[in-house]
Each structure stands twice: as C-alpha cells, then as structure tokens.
Amino acid sequence: MEFFDSHAHYNDEKYDLDRESIINEIYNEKITRTVCVGYNLEQSKKALQLAKEFHFMYATCGISPNDIDDYVDNNIEIIEKLAKEKKIVAIGEIGLDYYWNKENKEKQKELFIKQIEIANKIGKPIVIHTRDAAVDTIEILKKYPVIKKGIFHCCPLNQELIKEGIKLGFYISFSGNITFKNAKSEPCISLVPLNRLLIETDCPYLSPEPYRGKRNDSRNVKLVAQKLAETKGIELKEIAKITYENANRIFEI
Ligand code: NI
C-alpha cells in the first residue's frame, strides 16, 4: 500500500535538524509521493530545491495571503519564472485568509487573482488556502476560472464551500483536522465524491489524533486516510489507491 501526501512543508525550519533523514524515512514508510508546498518567495525556492534533490518529491510556488509582505517589487514575475520549472506541479499555496488578516482583504484578493493568472498562463493547477473567506474565495474562482482547476488544501469543514468547490471542478484535500474530536467532519467527507478526494498532512503542522500538538510528518497521512476509509465505508487500501491516482491526475504527474 502506497500513499501520496498532497501537501507538506519539508521546507519548514522545523526540519532543519533532520530534514534528510525524515524525508528518507517517510519514503521507507511507503509515502512514495509528496508535494512540498511554497508560501512565499524564499520557501518556494526551497521547495523547488528539495524537489530536485528527492526524486519522489514535487513542489509548488506561490505567495500565500499570510505572506503578503512578499507581494512587492518583481516577486510575481519571479514566481512566474519558478512556475515554469518541470518539478513545479501547481501554483500555491495561494488564496485568502481573513482569520489572520482582516485589514488587507483587497490586497489579498489582488494577489490571489494575479497568481491565478500565472496558473492559467503556464497551464498548471492551483493550491488554495482559504480561511474564514469562503464566500470571497468562491466568488473569485467564478469570476477568474482556473483552467487546470486545483485543490482546496486543508479544506475547511464548511459544507457550502465544499459543494461549490466540487461544482467548480476542484479537488478537496483533507488533513489531520478531520480526526480531531468534535470536528464533526463526517458530513463534509460524505459530500466529496471519491474521484475528487485527496489526503495531506500539511506537516509540520496539524498532527492528527493521537499526535495532536507534536511535529507532524507524512507518515501520519495514513491516519487521515483511515478516517476517510471509515467514513466512506471502504477499505484503507482503496482510499490509498484512489487518492494516489487523484493526486497524480490533478498534478499531471
Ligand atoms: Ni500548507
């Protein structure tokens, strides 16, 4: 049984002391594909560098709404240049975050749209980060359609958002938060057809139960898959296979 962790941050400083060994370890534990996700200029470059170093790793580049300080000078052009690299499989993570940043909504929207334009120009999908901003996120996706579609990463457990996202042709990626007690994730999981389902860790953050609060890594994607298997009433190996194929399809690997 092999797993595809569709969203990880091995570029994060929390791996500075043991990056190489943990990456080799996850591969030995049958996480045989993963995407290292960028969120600002520096971390996008680092993600690409790691993807070049490890054959089973891919990368994304983009400026997230929480890194809006990077939205200066010619950084958008640099993102576009990075995006053309072979191992870059998507633009992201990009989107809107009104939980952490309420005061610069218009600037966030502008940055999101600019990066959707890059995705369309280059012909790659996007990885969406959206928090407390479901309505505006959907509105932008309707107004600025993404040709290669994309993924709602660490998808908020918001049924309306999930329904709209699926209607727009997007994939829904669940992370460790679906395992949290009181998450009430089942109705949301049930809404997602199997051919649009993805699994991720968003490591080093968001460790699933029973490791909540500890540093996360891709091995824990199995616990996310397990929760999906239980909720969907199918075997773990089926979820592993389906989400692996879905990730290959959306990232065109
Ligand atoms: Ni992330």
Side-chain angles (χ1 to χ4, degrees):
M1 206 185 320
E2 295 181 34
F3 295 86
F4 193 138
D5 181 359
S6 74
H7 191 113
H9 298 286
Y10 288 104
N11 42 359
D12 193 280
E13 61 181 14
K14 288 197 170 61
Y15 298 112
D16 280 355
L17 295 178
D18 61 352
R19 183 168 289 109
E20 202 180 325
S21 65
I22 191 79
I23 293 173
N24 287 322
E25 181 69 17
I26 67 162
Y27 189 76
N28 293 335
E29 293 279 336
K30 298 289 176 219
I31 316 303
T32 55
R33 266 185 191 162
T34 186
V35 177
C36 185
V37 174
Y39 44 90
N40 58 32
L41 200 57
E42 190 197 330
Q43 293 297 344
S44 296
K45 287 179 183 165
K46 212 162 153 187
L48 176 62
Q49 188 194 323
L50 287 170
K52 285 181 174 173
E53 208 174 314
F54 295 92
H55 74 279
F56 70 105
M57 188 176 282
Y58 296 80
T60 73
C61 64
I63 300 171
S64 90
N66 296 325
D67 292 81
I68 202 123
D69 290 348
D70 251 20
Y71 181 29
V72 287
D73 308 325
N74 58 345
N75 283 1
I76 291 292
E77 284 97 272
I78 300 172
I79 291 291
E80 184 174 331
K81 209 172 143 209
L82 286 175
K84 289 177 183 154
E85 290 264 356
K86 211 173 153 208
K87 269 218 141 173
I88 295 284
V89 290
I91 311 304
E93 51 191 277
I94 59 174
L96 304 173
D97 192 324
Y98 300 165
Y99 178 83
W100 291 112
N101 297 299
K102 288 181 190 61
E103 63 297 323
N104 55 12
K105 292 182 181 177
E106 290 312 310
K107 206 172 168 202
Q108 288 188 42
K109 288 183 195 171
E110 191 185 296
L111 174 61
F112 186 24
I113 293 163
K114 281 217 159 125
Q115 294 183 100
I116 288 175
E117 285 166 356
I118 293 177
N120 283 341
K121 203 161 150 190
I122 295 183
K124 291 187 180 175
I126 64 171
V127 175
I128 300 172
H129 168 110
T130 178
R131 192 161 181 198
D132 287 359
V135 172
D136 285 0
T137 302
I138 294 297
E139 196 184 297
I140 287 176
L141 293 176
K142 283 181 175 166
K143 209 166 158 194
Y144 303 88
V146 187
I147 297 165
K148 292 284 185 175
K149 311 298 179 188
I151 298 163
F152 280 88
H153 122 76
C154 187
C155 192
L157 299 173
N158 171 335
Q159 295 192 37
E160 276 315 302
L161 177 73
I162 291 173
K163 282 185 206 162
E164 289 292 334
I166 289 166
K167 252 194 262 172
L168 287 166
F170 278 69
Y171 287 67
I172 305 296
S173 183
F174 288 114
S175 64
N177 61 349
I178 62 169
T179 69
F180 295 172
K181 292 182 183 78
N182 308 321
K184 296 193 177 70
S185 56
E186 293 82 3
C188 290
I189 295 168
S190 301
L191 281 176
V192 184
L194 287 173
N195 64 358
R196 296 288 187 80
L197 205 52
L198 295 172
I199 50 174
E200 67 169 72
T201 54
D202 202 16
C203 64
Y205 310 101
L206 275 174
S207 280
E209 293 288 359
Y211 304 114
R212 212 171 160 182
K214 300 215 172 78
R215 188 183 77 169
N216 199 3
D217 67 62
S218 296
R219 289 173 290 191
N220 290 334
V221 85
K222 294 175 187 177
L223 296 166
V224 178
Q226 183 60 45
K227 176 72 185 177
L228 294 182
E230 284 162 16
T231 309
K232 291 285 193 191
I234 60 176
E235 283 186 58
L236 177 63
K237 66 176 186 207
E238 275 298 300
I239 287 289
K241 184 170 177 276
I242 289 166
T243 54
Y244 208 103
E245 288 169 356
N246 290 346
N248 281 339
R249 191 182 321 118
I250 184 67
F251 291 126
E252 296 190 0
I253 294 172

